[in-house]
Amino acid sequence: MFMFEYEFMRQAFIASTFIAITAGLVGVFVVSRNMSFLSHTLSEIGFAGASFGILVGISPLAGMILFTLVSSIAVGSLSAESSRREASISAISSLFIGLGILFLSLSSESSSYATNILFGSIVGISAQEVHQLMILAIFVIVIFIFFYKPLSFDSFDHIGAQAAGLKTRLLSITFLITLALSVSIGAQIVGSLLVFVLLTLPAATAKYIVHSVPKMIAVSVGLSLIGVWLGLYLAFITNWPVTFFISAFEVIAYFLGLCYKNWKLNH
């Protein structure tokens, strides 16, 4: 039976489409700002937030947004201190993973909730949750459209943006907020453990293939869309985790992009 005959697959397809567009777009600026580490850290903070939401009786998405929004600016400020960045990020990641496990152990929910939060789920997503994701995704996209030029300038030439008098601090905060929302959105399908895959690999691959910002965004979004669509289809016909297929595709695409870059340098 064709997978779109199932309501949950239709919901998952719509949600994953908006997730892929958001992650592909934001990912270009994550890579250009050298903040891949931050997307990984926020994914673990998001796990604690979702677990906290379950504990106090709010939706996991609401808890994830709360934790990632509050933490993104604080953790993002550590990027200026490169000498202590790795140790600080490792400490923060460890703390929030521990908190997430604690919150889940204190809640009355089963261990399946932990699995869904960590690795995502295409079965349990409801129409209401899809609508919430669509609204959040559209909000992020609108912000990027509005701030596209100054954000691109600041992301790819921070010193030049400062010299030109742009409000780089405001742009940085705006970016961190959209990144936090993107982590919360993406984790609904691929899980908090691997949401950074969608936020880094498609954009990093695009950087190897094309060089202008609009082309990077187009390739990054395209790779994200192919990854989630292919992942959903293969998960449906094999009953294997969708996260595995998405991750495998994005990793293969990344190494193909790297090989293409090396080939171009030698010819």
Side-chain angles (χ1 to χ4, degrees):
M1 189 178 292
F2 192 61
M3 69 177 189
F4 289 128
E5 294 181 7
Y6 292 94
E7 176 68 18
F8 76 91
M9 287 303 300
R10 293 198 297 269
Q11 302 290 4
F13 185 84
I14 294 171
S16 65
T17 297
F18 279 90
I19 287 169
I21 293 172
T22 306
L25 172 62
V26 176
V28 170
F29 298 91
V30 170
V31 171
S32 66
R33 287 173 172 262
N34 295 317
M35 283 191 168
S36 299
F37 75 95
L38 183 56
S39 65
H40 183 270
T41 302
L42 286 178
S43 68
E44 291 164 346
I45 292 173
F47 165 62
S51 303
F52 177 76
I54 293 173
L55 175 63
V56 300
I58 61 177
S59 73
L61 177 59
M64 190 173 286
I65 291 174
L66 174 63
F67 270 53
T68 54
L69 278 177
V70 172
S71 303
S72 61
I73 297 175
V75 176
S77 65
L78 293 173
S79 62
E81 301 290 341
S82 57
S83 61
R84 62 183 183 185
R85 176 191 302 171
E86 292 187 8
S88 300
I89 294 302
S90 296
I92 292 171
S93 297
S94 301
L95 171 63
F96 277 95
I97 289 176
L99 284 174
I101 295 172
L102 173 63
F103 294 149
L104 281 176
S105 68
L106 293 175
S107 70
S108 58
E109 300 294 345
S110 66
S111 60
S112 63
Y113 271 78
T115 303
N116 291 342
I117 294 170
L118 285 170
F119 303 108
S121 173
I122 63 171
V123 178
I125 192 165
S126 65
Q128 181 181 359
E129 290 170 332
V130 171
H131 293 153
Q132 292 173 346
L133 291 176
M134 289 172 61
I135 292 171
L136 288 172
I138 291 171
F139 176 71
V140 171
I141 293 169
V142 168
I143 289 178
F144 267 90
I145 292 173
F146 187 78
F147 287 98
Y148 174 73
K149 287 186 177 180
L151 191 58
S152 297
F153 191 5
D154 183 45
S155 297
F156 289 87
D157 185 8
H158 180 66
I159 296 176
Q162 287 180 321
L166 291 181
K167 297 180 179 179
T168 55
R169 178 62 178 170
L170 175 61
L171 290 172
S172 178
I173 293 173
T174 301
F175 168 75
L176 291 170
I177 290 173
T178 56
L179 176 58
L181 291 175
S182 300
V183 168
S184 300
I185 293 169
Q188 306 308 303
I189 289 291
V190 296
S192 62
L193 192 63
L194 289 177
V195 66
F196 70 93
V197 169
L198 281 180
L199 282 167
T200 56
L201 288 186
T205 305
K207 193 175 182 179
Y208 292 144
I209 300 173
V210 294
H211 301 292
S212 69
V213 180
K215 290 181 179 179
M216 285 180 62
I217 291 174
V219 172
S220 179
V221 170
L223 289 172
S224 296
L225 285 170
I226 294 172
V228 297
W229 289 342
L230 183 63
L232 284 174
Y233 174 72
L234 293 176
F236 176 76
I237 63 175
T238 64
N239 204 30
W240 288 12
V242 64
T243 304
F244 163 72
F245 292 112
I246 294 174
S247 301
F249 172 80
E250 300 301 349
V251 169
I252 292 171
Y254 173 80
F255 282 110
L256 289 175
L258 182 59
C259 291
Y260 174 78
K261 178 187 177 183
N262 292 333
W263 179 82
K264 290 286 288 184
L265 289 174
N266 295 323
H267 291 81

mmCIF file of all heavy atoms in Angstrom, residues 63 70 76-77 109 137 219 238:
data_model
loop_
_atom_site.group_PDB
_atom_site.id
_atom_site.type_symbol
_atom_site.label_atom_id
_atom_site.label_comp_id
_atom_site.label_asym_id
_atom_site.label_seq_id
_atom_site.Cartn_x
_atom_site.Cartn_y
_atom_site.Cartn_z
ATOM 1 N N GLY A 63 8.938 22.485 25.850
ATOM 2 C CA GLY A 63 10.082 22.399 26.753
ATOM 3 C C GLY A 63 11.397 22.559 26.017
ATOM 4 O O GLY A 63 12.327 23.213 26.500
ATOM 5 N N VAL A 70 16.716 29.885 25.844
ATOM 6 C CA VAL A 70 17.423 30.464 26.988
ATOM 7 C C VAL A 70 18.920 30.161 26.904
ATOM 8 O O VAL A 70 19.765 31.010 27.211
ATOM 9 C CB VAL A 70 16.843 29.938 28.318
ATOM 10 C CG1 VAL A 70 17.702 30.379 29.495
ATOM 11 C CG2 VAL A 70 15.401 30.417 28.503
ATOM 12 N N GLY A 76 26.243 30.506 23.088
ATOM 13 C CA GLY A 76 26.833 31.151 21.920
ATOM 14 C C GLY A 76 27.907 32.151 22.270
ATOM 15 O O GLY A 76 28.865 32.352 21.517
ATOM 16 N N SER A 77 27.802 32.784 23.429
ATOM 17 C CA SER A 77 28.805 33.758 23.846
ATOM 18 C C SER A 77 30.153 33.108 24.104
ATOM 19 O O SER A 77 31.192 33.775 24.081
ATOM 20 C CB SER A 77 28.339 34.488 25.108
ATOM 21 O OG SER A 77 28.244 33.588 26.197
ATOM 22 N N GLU A 109 6.348 8.695 32.547
ATOM 23 C CA GLU A 109 6.241 8.159 31.197
ATOM 24 C C GLU A 109 7.199 6.982 30.994
ATOM 25 O O GLU A 109 8.179 6.826 31.711
ATOM 26 C CB GLU A 109 6.532 9.259 30.163
ATOM 27 C CG GLU A 109 5.593 10.449 30.242
ATOM 28 C CD GLU A 109 4.162 10.075 29.884
ATOM 29 O OE1 GLU A 109 3.961 8.996 29.314
ATOM 30 O OE2 GLU A 109 3.252 10.851 30.189
ATOM 31 N N ALA A 137 8.485 26.985 11.605
ATOM 32 C CA ALA A 137 9.352 26.976 10.431
ATOM 33 C C ALA A 137 9.141 28.235 9.587
ATOM 34 O O ALA A 137 10.107 28.867 9.130
ATOM 35 C CB ALA A 137 9.099 25.731 9.587
ATOM 36 N N VAL A 219 21.373 24.436 -2.653
ATOM 37 C CA VAL A 219 21.920 23.075 -2.584
ATOM 38 C C VAL A 219 21.679 22.474 -1.202
ATOM 39 O O VAL A 219 21.303 21.307 -1.073
ATOM 40 C CB VAL A 219 23.425 23.081 -2.914
ATOM 41 C CG1 VAL A 219 24.045 21.707 -2.650
ATOM 42 C CG2 VAL A 219 23.647 23.484 -4.366
ATOM 43 N N THR A 238 11.038 -0.478 4.978
ATOM 44 C CA THR A 238 11.915 -1.409 5.686
ATOM 45 C C THR A 238 11.602 -1.534 7.166
ATOM 46 O O THR A 238 12.040 -2.481 7.818
ATOM 47 C CB THR A 238 13.391 -0.974 5.556
ATOM 48 O OG1 THR A 238 13.564 0.304 6.203
ATOM 49 C CG2 THR A 238 13.814 -0.881 4.105
#
